[in-house]
């Protein structure tokens, strides 16, 4: 098995009698953007929650840089370098954009809550704000931002913590085409920028975005991993096409109605 | 064992009434997501109206009964529905506060309308008894109540299982967003539920009052008993609520068999609160709130943190402190004493600002901590107050583990359930801990000396006043330091999104426990001073009712601002000052109404007033007297960068403004000819929409919106736009 920066091994999650994840493996190697796709209810969000520590799995392990973090609570994983964004935006609505970033940095930096490393934190926030061109929004309250800008701020808030792994949960939902392509561009710049970190795991419904930015794609269906490989391979995998993708990735888009095949 | 039967029968009677109340509470919670803290108050109001019809105006009993149950109660239900419906999407915190505000409204309003004296009310069923077996006697009233409740419960069950209304109601509980899409009329379901619930409340009031006496507070308290069975059914199950109510009544009554006095009697009174607390903690995370999945749209003004610049802050803070130190020149004697009480109150309010406003943890038990401080000072401050400081510090130290105890439920509960748990805790302290003579000196109370600190006596009114100014300044400076520090940001992270906070390294467990413990400790420290102000303190000074009033005053003042706590202290003082009774008696109801109207605004009336002042000033500058065309005037405002940005904040506003821009773009050009058409029109639209959108967020704010509309003036398209946007925004949270 290839050594990933973040790995899920044999992860199983049951909700009552329902098996949400059935012995799923996943590797996110350094410097790569890995896509995680599958129809609704396939277990993507569950796997995401297992990786970030919101749900404890019934079986299997989660490894970060080779360390078993399966039993670690969410906040400890955050400090160890797992950062994420949320499909349903979870900004600190009544803080300014600047304070959202600063608070996140303080959250993962030991001693910062006691007032240490103040200038270091402010410098880091300023750097990220500049690199993502958020200067105009810095004094706005996060809860007042339109979706597109809010998604960008969520990304900035994750980046500011200098994570080892970045988990992105449907970052393009609610964005228009222009915003999505801008997002893809930013993502390309961010991934692996520091010695192969952060590695990125991307859950996404927008197929063209996934195909464009991901080096590897893992496909889940009914809680099981049904395929894994580079985009071209996924594009032509009959199981994947059957399970999920349908006409959307057919070269001519001839076979199936694209709308009907993809769950909204 | 046969001697248990009479208690069993009494238990079935009171249990029936609890069951009725529980079902009423559950019914509206399932369909609207609002927990009706004011349920007991509605019952009380209905009982008073019944008395008024029957005994006040001497209407026949059956007519009075029909009037209350078919007219008064349904109208209350109808009004409640109108009031709560817009709150479906907003935060639980706001719902809780509005509901508590309505509770306060009835508690203040009923004595105004009916006079406060206790009344005897006759049972609607005959109270003559009949024998069952050799020793047991049952009254017809008890039997009839039991049967009536059982029939109503069964009827409700059938209604919810086998009718269209029932199906619609269950669809709304499962997923109210989806139900709406499937054509279920959630509005009608909600309205019907509120009306039925309200009629149940009326019955509860009429059935309970003969045995409890018709008093403002008694019914409210007794109905709180019904919260436990409601929680037993996790606020959604009617059969469990019914069974829980019956069980609670019987258990409570059977406990009476052993304890006419002593520990068992205490436990009997506190049993429903204990049950509530234990149920909440045991259910823990399995309790889920009935919420809409749609994220509420929050307007810009509701969001505004209004943090002042450091310089402004130092200036205004310094001025307030100076003014307070100079006040004894103007005020003397009792009046100065009343202001002293306000200072202490403001310090206590600050601890709640930290807890509720910043950390987002609703507490209805803060005065229990104040009580700990006061009683500790009574025990340990020494005859002349020479150990006062040490007693206050000791109280703070004791409050830490107690704070951890209150904080424990917060690890598994949030929002509504946390509020209920802190409420149960406060009521347990009221009933089990504070009445003990070794704690508080019992109902006669204990004396607390004025402090003597480092050899200086603060016994005189003026010196004690000055000491309390120092106390408030210390608390204020500490709070401001926290607000702007990494600690303050950490609390607000937890408030705004616990999920994201933990993702970014915040240990929620530690943070919650620490904030509960420290807020409790600070309240206890201030409580020692409160005790010294009273000179004699008894359990009645530190009850759940005081905690509730504190929360309401802090909400009114502004729960996320230090200035909000100051305003809470100020409002508290006005109630003490010697003002004419004709005015004074309207203060509580004014406060209650104020709370309901500003509940959605985290900065309370402080910021709202400031904002409206500026809005009005801006509008005044642009009143029709000036020849400037409306659009140009607005444009001038738009040119001010800061204002434009603030105005354009809310997602709601932008949506409104954008849509409107498209619709009215062409007209705008015509209307604004003199303003030129060099692309400034768009900018002109924003501030107008901003003003009116802001108006949508609170009933009071509507005034500002209205003014903006009229300012735009004589039939210009801008006015039309304002009206459109206001309609859209108002639907959200007005």
């Amino acid at each position: 098995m290839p050594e990933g920066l973040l790995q899920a091994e044999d992860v199983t999650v049951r909700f009552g009698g329902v098996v949400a994840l059935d012995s799923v493996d996943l590797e996110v190697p350094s410097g790569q953007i890995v896509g995680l796709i599958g129809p609704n209810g396939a277990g993507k969000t569950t796997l995401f929650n297992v990786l970030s520590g919101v749900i404890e799995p019934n079986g299997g392990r989660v490894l970060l840089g080779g360390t078993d973090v399966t039993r670690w609570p969410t906040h400890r994983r955050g400090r160890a370098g797992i950062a994420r964004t949320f499909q349903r935006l979870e900004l600190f609505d009544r803080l300014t954009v600047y304070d959202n970033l600063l608070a996140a940095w303080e959250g993962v930096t030991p001693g910062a809550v006691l007032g240490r490393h103040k200038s270091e934190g402010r410098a880091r926030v300023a750097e990220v704000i500049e690199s993502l061109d958020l200067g105009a929004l810095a004094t706005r309250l996060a809860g007042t931002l339109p979706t597109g800008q809010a998604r960008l701020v969520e990304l900035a808030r994750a980046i500011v913590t200098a994570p080892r792994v970045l988990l992105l949960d449907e970052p393009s939902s609610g964005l228009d085409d222009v915003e999505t392509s801008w997002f893809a561009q930013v993502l390309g710049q961010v991934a692996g920028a520091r010695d192969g970190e952060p590695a990125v795991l991307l859950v996404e419904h927008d197929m063209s975005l996934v195909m464009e930015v991901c080096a590897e794609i893992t496909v889940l269906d009914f809680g099981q991993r049904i395929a894994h490989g580079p985009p071209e391979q996924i594009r032509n995998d009959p199981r994947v096409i059957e399970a999920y993708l349908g006409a959307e990735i057919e070269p001519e888009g001839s076979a199936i109605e694209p709308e009907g095949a993809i769950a909204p | 064992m046969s001697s248990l039967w009479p208690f069993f029968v009494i238990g079935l009677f009171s249990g029936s009434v609890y069951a009725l109340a529980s079902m009423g509470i559950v019914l509206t919670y399932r369909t609207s997501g609002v927990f009706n803290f004011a349920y007991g108050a509605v019952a009380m109001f209905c009982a008073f109206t019944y008395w008024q019809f029957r005994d006040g105006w001497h209407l026949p009993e059956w007519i009075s009964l029909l009037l209350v149950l078919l007219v008064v109660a349904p109208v209350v239900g109808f009004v409640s529905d109108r009031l709560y419906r817009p709150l479906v999407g907003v935060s639980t915190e706001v719902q809780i506060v509005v509901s508590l505000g309505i509770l306060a409204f009835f508690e203040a309003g009923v004595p105004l309308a009916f006079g406060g004296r206790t009344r005897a009310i006759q049972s609607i069923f005959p109270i003559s008894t009949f024998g069952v077996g050799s020793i047991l006697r049952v009254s017809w009233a008890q039997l009839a109540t039991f049967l009536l409740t059982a029939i109503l419960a069964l009827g409700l069950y059938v209604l919810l299982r086998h009718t269209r209304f029932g199906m619609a109601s269950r669809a709304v509980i499962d997923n109210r967003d989806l139900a709406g899409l499937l054509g279920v009329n959630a509005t009608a379901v909600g309205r019907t539920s509120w009306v039925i619930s309200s009629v149940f409340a009326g019955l509860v009031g009429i059935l309970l009052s003969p045995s409890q006496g018709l008093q403002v507070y008694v019914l409210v308290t007794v109905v709180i008993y019904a919260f436990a069975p409601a929680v037993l059914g996790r606020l959604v199950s009617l059969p469990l609520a019914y069974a829980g109510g019956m069980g609670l009544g019987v258990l409570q009554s059977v406990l009476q068999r052993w304890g006419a006095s002593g520990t068992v009697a205490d436990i009997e009174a506190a049993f429903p609160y204990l049950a509530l607390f234990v149920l909440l903690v045991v259910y823990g995370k399995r309790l889920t709130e009935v919420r809409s999945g749609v994220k509420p749209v929050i307007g810009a003004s509701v969001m505004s943190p209004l943090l002042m610049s450091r310089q402004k802050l130092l200036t205004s803070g310094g001025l307030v402190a100076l003014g307070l130190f100079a006040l004894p020149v103007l005020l003397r004697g009792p009046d100065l004493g009343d202001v002293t009480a306000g200072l202490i109150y403001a310090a206590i309010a600050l601890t709640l600002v930290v807890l509720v406003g910043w950390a987002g943890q609703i507490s209805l038990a803060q005065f229990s901590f104040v009580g700990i401080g006061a009683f500790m000072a009574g025990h340990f401050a020494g005859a002349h107050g020479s150990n006062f400081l040490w007693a206050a510090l000791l109280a703070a130290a004791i409050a830490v583990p107690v704070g951890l105890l209150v904080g424990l439920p917060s690890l598994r509960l949030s929002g509504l359930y946390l509020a209920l748990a802190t409420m149960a805790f406060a009521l347990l302290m009221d009933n089990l801990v504070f009445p003990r003579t070794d704690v508080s000196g019992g109902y006669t109370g204990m004396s607390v000396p004025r402090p003597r600190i480092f050899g200086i006596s603060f016994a005189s009114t003026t010196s004690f006043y000055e000491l309390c100014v120092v106390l408030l300044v210390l608390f204020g400076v500490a709070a401001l330091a926290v607000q702007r520090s990494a600690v303050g940001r950490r609390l607000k992270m937890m408030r705004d999104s616990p999920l994201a906070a933990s993702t970014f390294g915040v240990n929620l467990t530690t943070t919650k426990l620490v904030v509960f413990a420290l807020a409790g400790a600070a309240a206890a420290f201030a409580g020692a001073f409160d005790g010294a102000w009273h000179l004699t303190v008894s359990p009645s000074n530190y009850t759940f009712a005081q905690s509730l009033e504190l929360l309401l005053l802090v909400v009114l003042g502004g729960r996320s601002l230090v200035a909000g706590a100051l305003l809470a202290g100020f409002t508290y003082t006005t109630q003490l000052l010697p003002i004419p009774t004709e005015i004074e008696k309207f203060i509580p109801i004014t406060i209650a109404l104020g709370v309901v109207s500003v509940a959605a605004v985290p900065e309370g009336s402080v910021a709202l007033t400031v904002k409206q002042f500026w809005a009005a000033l801006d509008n005044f500058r642009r009143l029709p007297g000036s020849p400037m065309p409306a659009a140009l005037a607005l444009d001038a405002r738009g040119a001010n960068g800061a204002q434009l940005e603030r105005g354009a904040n809310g997602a709601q506003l932008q949506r409104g403004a954008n849509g409107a821009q498209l619709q009215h773009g062409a007209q705008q050009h015509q209307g604004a000819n003199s303003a030129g058409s060099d692309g400034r029109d768009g900018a002109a639209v924003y501030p107008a929409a901003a003003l009116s959108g802001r108006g949508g967020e609170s009933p009071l704010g509507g005034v500002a919106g209205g003014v903006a509309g009229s300012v735009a003036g004589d039939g210009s398209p801008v006015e039309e736009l304002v009206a459109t946007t206001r309609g859209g925004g108002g639907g959200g949270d007005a």
Side-chain angles (χ1 to χ4, degrees):
Chain A
M1 186 179 290
E3 180 73 3
L5 190 52
L6 182 69
Q7 274 178 280
E9 280 181 9
D10 212 17
V11 165
T12 299
V13 173
R14 283 184 292 268
F15 297 121
V18 182
V19 180
L21 289 176
D22 187 4
S23 301
V24 171
D25 290 319
L26 178 80
E27 304 81 36
V28 188
S30 309
Q32 281 197 8
I33 303 179
V34 174
L36 178 63
I37 62 174
N40 271 343
K44 304 182 300 281
T45 304
T46 308
L47 182 56
F48 234 67
N49 286 337
V50 168
L51 293 174
S52 65
V54 177
I55 296 177
E56 203 171 290
N58 298 87
R61 302 198 298 164
V62 177
L63 302 174
L64 175 65
T67 311
D68 187 342
V69 298
T70 317
R71 306 277 166 244
W72 288 18
T74 308
H75 62 91
R76 190 166 168 205
R77 294 189 206 197
R79 291 177 200 169
I82 299 181
R84 71 173 286 186
T85 65
F86 299 86
Q87 184 191 354
R88 297 182 52 178
L89 294 162
E90 293 279 351
L91 284 169
F92 306 124
D93 282 351
R94 278 150 64 188
L95 294 182
T96 60
V97 168
Y98 183 91
D99 277 353
N100 262 268
L101 270 56
L102 185 60
W105 185 87
E106 287 166 343
V108 300
T109 308
V113 74
L114 303 172
R116 293 193 204 123
H117 320 297
K118 252 185 200 161
S119 52
E120 198 187 319
R122 292 185 187 278
R124 173 69 185 152
V125 172
E127 179 191 333
V128 171
I129 283 185
E130 192 180 352
S131 72
L132 291 189
D133 201 17
L134 293 170
L137 303 180
T139 57
R140 290 272 295 271
L141 291 176
T144 63
L145 298 174
T147 310
Q149 291 175 343
R151 295 230 177 261
L152 206 55
V153 172
E154 275 219 339
L155 180 66
R157 184 179 64 175
I159 292 171
V160 82
T161 63
R164 303 187 67 191
V165 182
L166 186 55
L167 310 178
L168 302 176
D169 198 350
E170 307 226 357
S172 81
S173 79
L175 301 194
D176 63 25
D177 288 350
V178 179
E179 288 171 325
T180 304
S181 69
W182 159 240
F183 198 90
Q185 199 186 329
V186 171
L187 200 54
Q189 288 168 11
V190 168
R194 283 172 293 103
D195 300 331
E197 290 178 4
V200 177
L201 178 64
L202 175 67
V203 168
E204 188 49 74
H205 269 115
D206 184 334
M207 277 312 124
S208 58
L209 178 64
V210 175
M211 296 292 164
E212 180 190 336
V213 300
C214 294
E216 303 252 332
I217 294 173
T218 290
V219 188
L220 292 182
D221 192 23
F222 292 112
Q224 292 182 321
R225 178 160 113 172
I226 58 168
H228 175 76
E232 309 78 55
Q233 189 185 326
I234 296 298
R235 210 187 287 268
N236 300 313
D237 189 316
R239 290 189 63 190
V240 176
I241 294 171
E242 186 193 349
Y244 172 36
L245 293 168
E248 182 83 342
I249 54 162
E250 292 273 300
E252 262 72 51
S254 53
I256 314 165
E257 284 281 302
E259 289 291 312
I262 303 250
Chain B
M1 281 311 283
S2 58
S3 59
L4 265 183
W5 285 112
F7 292 96
F8 193 75
V9 168
I10 296 172
L12 282 183
F13 164 74
S14 53
S16 295
V17 185
Y18 299 157
L20 207 54
S22 301
M23 289 190 294
I25 291 167
V26 166
L27 190 61
T28 47
Y29 184 77
R30 327 187 333 150
T31 46
S32 70
V34 173
F35 184 89
N36 193 358
F37 279 93
Y39 199 76
V42 174
M44 182 263 293
F45 173 73
C46 289
F48 267 93
T49 17
Y50 174 70
W51 183 91
Q52 187 62 47
F53 289 148
R54 185 183 171 283
D55 300 82
W57 294 334
H58 304 292
L59 296 178
E61 181 171 280
W62 66 275
I63 290 186
S64 310
L65 197 61
L66 287 183
L67 275 178
V68 169
L69 296 182
L70 298 183
V71 180
V72 176
V75 166
V76 172
F78 198 77
V79 172
S80 304
D81 173 58
R82 293 293 306 199
L83 202 67
Y84 287 117
R85 196 190 311 146
L87 299 181
V88 164
V90 304
S91 71
T92 315
E93 188 192 3
V94 174
Q95 294 178 344
I96 294 171
V97 167
V98 168
S99 178
L100 290 171
I102 290 168
L103 169 66
F105 171 79
F106 277 113
E107 284 186 349
V110 166
L112 279 184
F114 298 96
R117 73 194 158 85
T118 305
R119 293 164 168 78
I121 194 167
Q122 270 188 9
S123 171
I124 50 170
F125 299 120
I127 52 171
S128 58
T129 60
F130 60 95
V132 181
S134 54
I135 47 155
L136 189 61
R137 296 206 69 78
V138 179
S139 80
W140 290 106
Q142 287 169 335
L143 182 69
T145 304
F146 175 75
L147 289 177
L148 175 68
T149 308
I151 290 167
L152 285 174
L154 202 65
L156 197 58
Y157 186 78
V158 171
L159 179 73
L160 290 175
R161 280 286 142 191
H162 301 291
T163 62
R164 273 190 67 83
F165 168 76
M167 208 170 65
S169 135
R170 272 176 288 140
V172 171
I173 303 155
D174 282 347
N175 188 329
R176 63 177 311 126
D177 305 322
L178 200 59
L181 290 178
L182 293 175
V184 171
N185 188 344
T187 308
V189 168
R191 188 187 304 131
T192 315
S193 304
W194 275 106
V195 168
I196 296 176
S197 167
S198 200
V199 171
F200 276 26
L203 263 178
V204 166
I206 292 169
L207 291 173
L208 263 185
S209 295
S211 59
Q212 304 283 344
L214 185 52
Q215 262 186 54
V216 173
Y217 293 101
V218 169
L219 265 174
V220 174
T221 313
V222 172
V223 170
I224 292 177
Y225 290 173
F227 288 7
V231 168
L232 179 72
R234 295 194 215 172
L235 298 188
V236 288
S237 162
L238 286 165
L240 272 179
Y242 179 78
M246 297 304 285
L248 177 70
V250 169
L251 268 173
Q252 198 186 11
S253 178
V254 166
L255 275 175
Q256 271 182 341
R257 155 81 177 69
W258 285 285
S261 64
T263 319
V264 181
D266 292 344
I267 292 179
E268 183 248 316
F271 179 70
Y273 311 133
L274 198 62
L276 177 60
F277 193 77
V278 170
L279 276 176
L280 286 166
V281 173
V282 169
Y283 271 146
K285 293 205 165 118
R286 276 173 292 169
L287 293 164
T288 48
E289 295 191 31
V290 173
R291 306 283 306 152
S292 166
V294 179
K295 216 178 170 186
V297 178
I298 307 166
S301 87
V302 169
M303 308 283 308
S304 159
L306 222 88
L307 281 188
M308 278 191 266
S309 71
R310 194 161 299 206
Q311 195 186 356
K312 254 185 174 175
L313 186 74
L314 283 175
T315 321
S316 52
L319 281 176
V320 170
L322 266 181
L324 285 175
F325 275 116
L327 196 66
V329 179
L330 299 172
L331 277 182
R332 266 163 225 288
D335 290 352
L336 193 64
D338 292 341
V339 178
T340 311
L343 296 178
I344 300 166
Y345 201 85
I348 297 165
L350 269 177
T351 68
L352 204 62
V353 166
V354 175
L355 197 56
V356 178
W358 301 346
Q361 310 292 311
I362 286 203
S363 171
L364 286 164
Q366 206 62 2
F367 251 82
S368 300
F369 293 96
V370 179
I372 290 174
F375 296 131
M376 284 298 133
H379 279 294
F380 299 111
H384 303 286
S386 45
N387 292 324
F388 190 89
L389 196 58
W390 306 120
L393 288 172
L394 180 69
I398 287 173
V400 167
V402 182
L404 293 179
L405 189 66
V406 188
L408 274 181
S410 78
L411 302 183
R412 289 157 65 82
L413 304 167
S414 59
L416 169 66
Y417 298 108
L418 177 61
L420 283 171
T422 59
M423 174 179 171
F425 175 83
L427 288 163
L428 281 174
M429 292 292 278
D430 290 357
N431 284 281
L432 283 183
V433 180
F434 286 159
R436 297 174 62 94
T437 39
D438 51 352
V439 173
S440 65
Y443 287 100
T444 49
M446 67 200 310
S447 63
V448 182
R450 287 281 157 92
R452 174 185 282 273
I453 295 170
F454 302 127
I456 307 166
S457 167
F458 294 95
S460 75
T461 304
T462 312
S463 61
F464 185 61
Y465 168 83
E466 280 160 354
L467 182 67
C468 290
V469 174
V470 172
L471 174 81
L472 180 57
V473 168
L474 283 178
F475 270 52
V477 168
L480 286 170
V482 167
Q483 189 184 26
R484 281 145 199 268
S485 70
V487 176
R489 274 187 291 277
R490 178 155 296 201
L491 297 180
K492 291 172 194 168
M493 282 167 97
M494 186 165 75
R495 171 195 69 192
D496 287 354
S497 168
L499 185 57
S502 66
T503 303
F504 291 101
V506 174
N507 185 338
L508 297 178
T509 308
T510 319
T511 311
K512 282 182 187 174
L513 287 180
V514 165
V515 72
F516 266 103
L518 290 187
F525 187 81
F529 291 82
D530 191 65
W533 182 84
H534 282 292
L535 292 172
T536 305
V537 290
S538 73
S540 65
N541 294 118
Y542 304 105
T543 63
F544 164 68
Q546 265 91 13
S547 294
L548 177 61
E549 188 191 12
L550 175 73
L551 179 70
L552 294 181
L553 287 183
V554 166
V555 167
L556 185 65
R559 57 192 174 279
S560 65
L561 293 178
V562 170
L566 298 183
L567 191 74
F570 177 79
T571 317
Y572 182 76
T573 308
T574 56
Q575 290 176 286
L576 300 177
L577 290 172
I579 40 181
T581 357
E582 295 78 48
I583 299 173
E584 193 182 10
K585 67 180 182 185
F586 288 105
I587 293 182
I589 202 166
T590 314
I591 291 174
L593 286 173
V595 166
V596 173
S597 63
V598 303
V601 189
E603 316 93 333
S605 60
V606 178
L608 200 65
T609 313
V610 172
K611 276 178 204 162
Q612 282 175 343
F613 174 75
W614 288 116
L617 202 67
D618 269 355
N619 292 329
F620 181 72
R621 289 210 308 258
R622 287 183 268 108
L623 275 177
S626 75
M628 213 177 1
L632 182 62
L634 288 169
D635 191 33
R637 183 188 153 92
N640 180 335
Q643 271 174 334
L644 173 60
E645 190 164 274
R646 198 183 53 197
N649 270 342
Q652 162 198 344
L653 297 184
Q654 277 195 348
R655 194 156 25 95
N658 287 342
Q661 228 171 325
L662 287 177
Q663 277 179 5
H664 295 282
Q667 287 176 316
Q668 183 80 28
H669 269 286
Q670 293 165 5
N673 266 342
S674 53
S677 49
D678 49 7
R680 279 185 285 167
D681 307 347
V685 170
Y686 275 107
L691 266 178
S692 61
R694 217 188 281 164
E697 282 135 19
S698 84
L700 288 183
V703 179
V707 176
S710 62
V711 164
D714 35 32
S716 90
V718 180
E719 186 181 5
E720 208 177 314
L721 161 66
V722 167
T724 318
T725 322
R726 188 168 60 237
D733 17 30

